[in-house]
Amino acid sequence: MHCLWCDEEIIPSVNWGNLLLPSRPASLCEKCESELEQIEGDRCRKCSRKTAEVVCRDCQWWESQKRNVLAGNYSVYTYNAFMREIIAKWKYRGDYILRNVFAEVFTEGYYQAFGKKKDAIIIPIPLSENRLKERGFNQAEALAAFLPNQSKSLLARIDSEKQSKKSRKQRITRKNPFTLKETLNKPAILVDDIYTTGTTIRHAAELLKQNGCPEVYSYTLIRG
């Protein structure tokens, strides 16, 4: 095996713990793995922002706007410089195999946060048709494929503008970019690559709840 980022050869260590039950082959070498920062310790219970506050100021603001449609978001990694490089190559330059870098930790995080929600339906956040043609794949669907629960594509996106080019105010005040293809009467877990302002996730959650979904959570790879 070679590191998917730096191409250094990965020589697995052998011990009594993995001799009889081999572990999953590593996708990153130890050096590259150490540059990714998992969210540990205190975090906002609503959105996973690293903070000592039980509920961060962003989430308090959302609650003050009467848009408390999201039961909670759980994220795995911070958006540090190394993660930005990986996301740019994976998401914007089409290196699809880099998704495997996140497979093990993303799956473990899901069981930790949502393991008891056996009946929840996973809903990947969709791309617009134009954006999907441009990238060749939907990063949210690529992440959702790692997870154990049933996944359904219940949302369609009509807005093709890049969110990374918008200011915080533009993101928060834009119209809902989604339409609903099918209603859902079970809990939903929205999956996306990054939670930044929470607007995209809340637009999707709002639409689902307005049409009969009892509870909506989100699970994202990164908390921006």
Side-chain angles (χ1 to χ4, degrees):
M1 287 289 295
H2 288 75
C3 176
L4 289 179
W5 187 254
C6 71
D7 203 37
E8 180 178 322
E9 185 178 5
I10 300 173
I11 301 174
S13 60
V14 178
N15 54 51
W16 288 111
N18 61 26
L19 188 61
L20 298 178
L21 187 63
S23 57
R24 180 184 297 182
S27 296
L28 293 178
C29 66
E30 287 187 9
K31 180 179 182 300
C32 289
E33 184 72 45
S34 69
E35 292 191 46
L36 290 172
E37 182 186 5
Q38 292 187 42
I39 299 174
E40 298 176 341
D42 294 337
R43 65 168 77 196
C44 171
R45 65 175 175 83
K46 295 286 286 185
C47 74
S48 281
R49 176 191 289 276
K50 289 185 70 173
T51 178
E53 296 176 300
V54 176
V55 178
C56 73
R57 292 182 183 181
D58 279 359
C59 290
Q60 290 176 34
W61 183 86
W62 280 114
E63 290 176 357
S64 74
Q65 300 301 303
K66 311 298 182 186
R67 293 184 67 181
N68 196 22
V69 292
L70 189 68
N73 170 74
Y74 191 87
S75 302
V76 181
Y77 292 102
T78 65
Y79 205 20
N80 66 7
F82 186 54
M83 177 62 84
R84 289 176 190 274
E85 290 184 48
I86 293 179
I87 292 298
K89 190 173 182 182
W90 174 50
K91 183 174 169 179
Y92 301 118
R93 297 201 288 274
D95 197 343
Y96 184 78
I97 197 171
L98 281 174
R99 80 177 191 131
N100 292 337
V101 166
F102 312 119
E104 186 171 0
V105 174
F106 195 66
T107 304
E108 288 175 356
Y110 181 86
Y111 280 112
Q112 180 179 332
F114 303 110
K116 294 181 180 180
K117 299 192 178 299
K118 307 293 186 183
D119 62 336
I121 302 297
I122 291 170
I123 304 176
I125 294 293
L127 297 176
S128 67
E129 289 186 16
N130 289 342
R131 196 67 60 227
L132 185 58
K133 287 178 182 177
E134 180 183 295
R135 293 183 187 167
F137 67 93
N138 178 350
Q139 70 278 359
E141 290 180 354
L143 291 169
F146 292 133
L147 306 179
N149 289 38
Q150 181 184 7
S151 179
K152 288 187 175 183
S153 296
L154 301 185
L155 299 168
R157 191 172 199 138
I158 52 180
D159 176 9
S160 61
E161 292 185 76
K162 290 185 177 180
Q163 300 310 303
S164 59
K165 303 296 184 183
K166 293 183 177 181
S167 68
R168 176 181 173 83
K169 184 177 180 180
Q170 287 173 322
R171 293 183 191 192
I172 289 174
T173 58
R174 80 182 192 273
K175 293 181 180 179
N176 196 322
F178 301 113
T179 58
L180 192 63
K181 297 190 286 186
E182 182 184 336
T183 58
L184 181 69
N185 60 2
K186 293 182 178 181
I189 300 173
L190 298 164
V191 171
D192 206 0
D193 58 330
I194 183 168
Y195 180 113
T196 306
T197 64
T199 306
T200 297
I201 292 292
R202 281 178 173 80
H203 274 143
E206 207 165 44
L207 196 56
L208 286 163
K209 293 204 74 174
Q210 286 171 354
N211 289 275
C213 182
E215 194 171 41
V216 184
Y217 295 84
S218 63
Y219 184 46
T220 56
L221 180 69
I222 303 159
R223 178 60 172 92

Short mmCIF file of all heavy atoms in Angstrom, two decimals, residues 13-44:
data_model
loop_
_atom_site.label_atom_id
_atom_site.label_comp_id
_atom_site.label_asym_id
_atom_site.label_seq_id
_atom_site.Cartn_x
_atom_site.Cartn_y
_atom_site.Cartn_z
N SER A 13 2.26 -2.50 10.59
CA SER A 13 2.89 -3.16 11.73
C SER A 13 2.10 -4.43 12.06
O SER A 13 0.88 -4.46 11.92
CB SER A 13 2.91 -2.23 12.95
OG SER A 13 1.59 -1.86 13.30
N VAL A 14 2.78 -5.45 12.48
CA VAL A 14 2.15 -6.72 12.81
C VAL A 14 2.31 -6.98 14.30
O VAL A 14 3.42 -6.91 14.84
CB VAL A 14 2.77 -7.89 12.01
CG1 VAL A 14 2.12 -9.21 12.40
CG2 VAL A 14 2.62 -7.65 10.52
N ASN A 15 1.20 -7.23 14.98
CA ASN A 15 1.25 -7.57 16.40
C ASN A 15 0.19 -8.62 16.69
O ASN A 15 -0.58 -9.01 15.80
CB ASN A 15 1.06 -6.31 17.26
CG ASN A 15 -0.22 -5.56 16.89
OD1 ASN A 15 -1.30 -6.16 16.82
ND2 ASN A 15 -0.09 -4.26 16.63
N TRP A 16 0.12 -9.08 17.94
CA TRP A 16 -0.85 -10.12 18.28
C TRP A 16 -2.28 -9.64 18.09
O TRP A 16 -3.18 -10.43 17.83
CB TRP A 16 -0.64 -10.58 19.73
CG TRP A 16 0.61 -11.38 19.91
CD1 TRP A 16 1.74 -11.00 20.58
CD2 TRP A 16 0.87 -12.68 19.38
NE1 TRP A 16 2.70 -11.98 20.50
CE2 TRP A 16 2.19 -13.03 19.79
CE3 TRP A 16 0.14 -13.58 18.63
CZ2 TRP A 16 2.78 -14.24 19.44
CZ3 TRP A 16 0.72 -14.80 18.27
CH2 TRP A 16 2.02 -15.12 18.68
N GLY A 17 -2.50 -8.32 18.19
CA GLY A 17 -3.84 -7.78 18.05
C GLY A 17 -4.39 -7.88 16.64
O GLY A 17 -5.59 -8.06 16.44
N ASN A 18 -3.51 -7.75 15.63
CA ASN A 18 -4.01 -7.79 14.25
C ASN A 18 -3.55 -9.00 13.46
O ASN A 18 -3.80 -9.11 12.27
CB ASN A 18 -3.61 -6.51 13.50
CG ASN A 18 -2.11 -6.32 13.41
OD1 ASN A 18 -1.34 -7.28 13.45
ND2 ASN A 18 -1.68 -5.07 13.27
N LEU A 19 -2.85 -9.93 14.14
CA LEU A 19 -2.35 -11.11 13.45
C LEU A 19 -3.50 -12.01 12.99
O LEU A 19 -3.54 -12.48 11.85
CB LEU A 19 -1.40 -11.89 14.35
CG LEU A 19 -0.66 -13.06 13.70
CD1 LEU A 19 0.23 -12.56 12.57
CD2 LEU A 19 0.19 -13.79 14.74
N LEU A 20 -4.46 -12.25 13.89
CA LEU A 20 -5.59 -13.11 13.56
C LEU A 20 -6.74 -12.35 12.91
O LEU A 20 -7.51 -12.92 12.14
CB LEU A 20 -6.09 -13.81 14.83
CG LEU A 20 -5.09 -14.73 15.53
CD1 LEU A 20 -5.70 -15.31 16.80
CD2 LEU A 20 -4.67 -15.87 14.59
N LEU A 21 -6.86 -11.06 13.24
CA LEU A 21 -7.92 -10.24 12.67
C LEU A 21 -7.28 -8.98 12.06
O LEU A 21 -7.18 -7.96 12.71
CB LEU A 21 -8.94 -9.85 13.76
CG LEU A 21 -10.20 -9.13 13.28
CD1 LEU A 21 -11.01 -10.04 12.36
CD2 LEU A 21 -11.04 -8.71 14.47
N PRO A 22 -6.84 -9.08 10.81
CA PRO A 22 -6.14 -7.96 10.18
C PRO A 22 -6.99 -6.69 10.15
O PRO A 22 -8.20 -6.74 9.93
CB PRO A 22 -5.89 -8.47 8.74
CG PRO A 22 -5.96 -9.95 8.84
CD PRO A 22 -6.98 -10.23 9.91
N SER A 23 -6.34 -5.57 10.40
CA SER A 23 -7.04 -4.29 10.36
C SER A 23 -7.19 -3.82 8.92
O SER A 23 -6.51 -4.32 8.01
CB SER A 23 -6.28 -3.24 11.18
OG SER A 23 -4.96 -3.11 10.69
N ARG A 24 -8.06 -2.84 8.70
CA ARG A 24 -8.26 -2.29 7.36
C ARG A 24 -6.98 -1.60 6.90
O ARG A 24 -6.36 -0.87 7.66
CB ARG A 24 -9.41 -1.29 7.40
CG ARG A 24 -9.70 -0.65 6.05
CD ARG A 24 -10.78 0.40 6.16
NE ARG A 24 -12.04 -0.18 6.57
CZ ARG A 24 -13.17 0.53 6.70
NH1 ARG A 24 -13.16 1.82 6.44
NH2 ARG A 24 -14.28 -0.05 7.07
N PRO A 25 -6.57 -1.83 5.65
CA PRO A 25 -5.35 -1.16 5.15
C PRO A 25 -5.46 0.35 5.27
O PRO A 25 -6.50 0.94 4.99
CB PRO A 25 -5.31 -1.60 3.68
CG PRO A 25 -6.10 -2.86 3.62
CD PRO A 25 -7.17 -2.71 4.65
N ALA A 26 -4.38 0.98 5.71
CA ALA A 26 -4.37 2.42 5.88
C ALA A 26 -4.35 3.12 4.52
O ALA A 26 -3.72 2.65 3.58
CB ALA A 26 -3.16 2.84 6.71
N SER A 27 -5.04 4.25 4.43
CA SER A 27 -5.05 5.04 3.19
C SER A 27 -4.03 6.16 3.22
O SER A 27 -3.63 6.66 2.17
CB SER A 27 -6.45 5.63 2.97
OG SER A 27 -7.40 4.62 2.77
N LEU A 28 -3.63 6.57 4.43
CA LEU A 28 -2.63 7.62 4.59
C LEU A 28 -1.46 7.09 5.42
O LEU A 28 -1.65 6.25 6.31
CB LEU A 28 -3.21 8.85 5.30
CG LEU A 28 -4.27 9.67 4.58
CD1 LEU A 28 -4.74 10.80 5.48
CD2 LEU A 28 -3.75 10.22 3.26
N CYS A 29 -0.28 7.59 5.16
CA CYS A 29 0.86 7.27 6.01
C CYS A 29 0.68 7.99 7.36
O CYS A 29 -0.18 8.86 7.50
CB CYS A 29 2.17 7.71 5.35
SG CYS A 29 2.33 9.50 5.15
N GLU A 30 1.49 7.62 8.34
CA GLU A 30 1.34 8.20 9.68
C GLU A 30 1.53 9.71 9.67
O GLU A 30 0.83 10.45 10.37
CB GLU A 30 2.35 7.55 10.64
CG GLU A 30 1.99 6.12 11.02
CD GLU A 30 2.91 5.57 12.10
OE1 GLU A 30 3.70 6.36 12.67
OE2 GLU A 30 2.83 4.37 12.39
N LYS A 31 2.48 10.21 8.87
CA LYS A 31 2.75 11.65 8.83
C LYS A 31 1.54 12.40 8.29
O LYS A 31 1.11 13.41 8.88
CB LYS A 31 3.97 11.94 7.95
CG LYS A 31 4.32 13.42 7.86
CD LYS A 31 5.55 13.64 7.00
CE LYS A 31 5.93 15.12 6.93
NZ LYS A 31 4.85 15.95 6.35
N CYS A 32 0.96 11.93 7.19
CA CYS A 32 -0.19 12.62 6.61
C CYS A 32 -1.42 12.49 7.51
O CYS A 32 -2.18 13.45 7.69
CB CYS A 32 -0.49 12.06 5.22
SG CYS A 32 0.75 12.51 3.97
N GLU A 33 -1.58 11.31 8.10
CA GLU A 33 -2.71 11.09 9.01
C GLU A 33 -2.64 12.06 10.18
O GLU A 33 -3.67 12.59 10.64
CB GLU A 33 -2.69 9.65 9.52
CG GLU A 33 -3.85 9.27 10.40
CD GLU A 33 -5.16 9.14 9.65
OE1 GLU A 33 -5.17 8.53 8.58
OE2 GLU A 33 -6.19 9.66 10.15
N SER A 34 -1.44 12.32 10.67
CA SER A 34 -1.28 13.20 11.84
C SER A 34 -1.62 14.65 11.53
O SER A 34 -1.85 15.44 12.44
CB SER A 34 0.16 13.11 12.37
OG SER A 34 1.07 13.72 11.46
N GLU A 35 -1.66 15.02 10.24
CA GLU A 35 -1.96 16.40 9.87
C GLU A 35 -3.47 16.67 9.80
O GLU A 35 -3.89 17.83 9.74
CB GLU A 35 -1.30 16.74 8.53
CG GLU A 35 0.21 16.78 8.61
CD GLU A 35 0.85 17.36 7.36
OE1 GLU A 35 0.36 18.40 6.89
OE2 GLU A 35 1.81 16.74 6.86
N LEU A 36 -4.28 15.62 9.80
CA LEU A 36 -5.72 15.79 9.89
C LEU A 36 -6.11 15.96 11.36
O LEU A 36 -5.61 15.26 12.23
CB LEU A 36 -6.45 14.58 9.31
CG LEU A 36 -6.37 14.40 7.80
CD1 LEU A 36 -6.97 13.06 7.40
CD2 LEU A 36 -7.08 15.53 7.07
N GLU A 37 -7.01 16.88 11.63
CA GLU A 37 -7.39 17.18 13.02
C GLU A 37 -8.84 16.76 13.27
O GLU A 37 -9.77 17.37 12.75
CB GLU A 37 -7.25 18.67 13.31
CG GLU A 37 -7.59 19.04 14.76
CD GLU A 37 -7.59 20.54 15.00
OE1 GLU A 37 -7.41 21.31 14.04
OE2 GLU A 37 -7.77 20.92 16.17
N GLN A 38 -9.01 15.72 14.07
CA GLN A 38 -10.36 15.31 14.46
C GLN A 38 -10.87 16.24 15.56
O GLN A 38 -10.09 16.77 16.36
CB GLN A 38 -10.36 13.87 14.93
CG GLN A 38 -10.08 12.86 13.84
CD GLN A 38 -10.26 11.43 14.32
OE1 GLN A 38 -11.21 11.11 15.03
NE2 GLN A 38 -9.35 10.55 13.92
N ILE A 39 -12.18 16.42 15.60
CA ILE A 39 -12.79 17.26 16.63
C ILE A 39 -12.89 16.43 17.92
O ILE A 39 -13.58 15.41 17.95
CB ILE A 39 -14.19 17.74 16.20
CG1 ILE A 39 -14.10 18.58 14.93
CG2 ILE A 39 -14.84 18.56 17.33
CD1 ILE A 39 -15.44 18.97 14.35
N GLU A 40 -12.18 16.87 18.93
CA GLU A 40 -12.19 16.18 20.22
C GLU A 40 -12.45 17.18 21.32
O GLU A 40 -12.26 18.38 21.16
CB GLU A 40 -10.86 15.46 20.44
CG GLU A 40 -10.56 14.38 19.39
CD GLU A 40 -9.19 13.76 19.57
OE1 GLU A 40 -8.34 14.40 20.24
OE2 GLU A 40 -8.96 12.66 19.03
N GLY A 41 -12.88 16.68 22.46
CA GLY A 41 -13.13 17.57 23.60
C GLY A 41 -14.42 18.34 23.46
O GLY A 41 -15.38 17.87 22.84
N ASP A 42 -14.46 19.53 24.05
CA ASP A 42 -15.69 20.33 24.08
C ASP A 42 -16.11 20.74 22.67
O ASP A 42 -15.29 21.17 21.86
CB ASP A 42 -15.49 21.58 24.94
CG ASP A 42 -15.28 21.26 26.40
OD1 ASP A 42 -15.70 20.17 26.82
OD2 ASP A 42 -14.68 22.09 27.12
N ARG A 43 -17.41 20.62 22.42
CA ARG A 43 -17.98 21.06 21.15
C ARG A 43 -19.42 21.51 21.38
O ARG A 43 -20.06 21.08 22.35
CB ARG A 43 -17.95 19.95 20.11
CG ARG A 43 -18.83 18.74 20.44
CD ARG A 43 -18.98 17.81 19.25
NE ARG A 43 -17.81 16.98 19.01
CZ ARG A 43 -17.59 16.34 17.86
NH1 ARG A 43 -18.45 16.46 16.87
NH2 ARG A 43 -16.53 15.57 17.71
N CYS A 44 -19.92 22.37 20.52
CA CYS A 44 -21.32 22.76 20.58
C CYS A 44 -22.19 21.53 20.35
O CYS A 44 -21.98 20.79 19.39
CB CYS A 44 -21.60 23.82 19.51
SG CYS A 44 -23.37 24.22 19.31
#
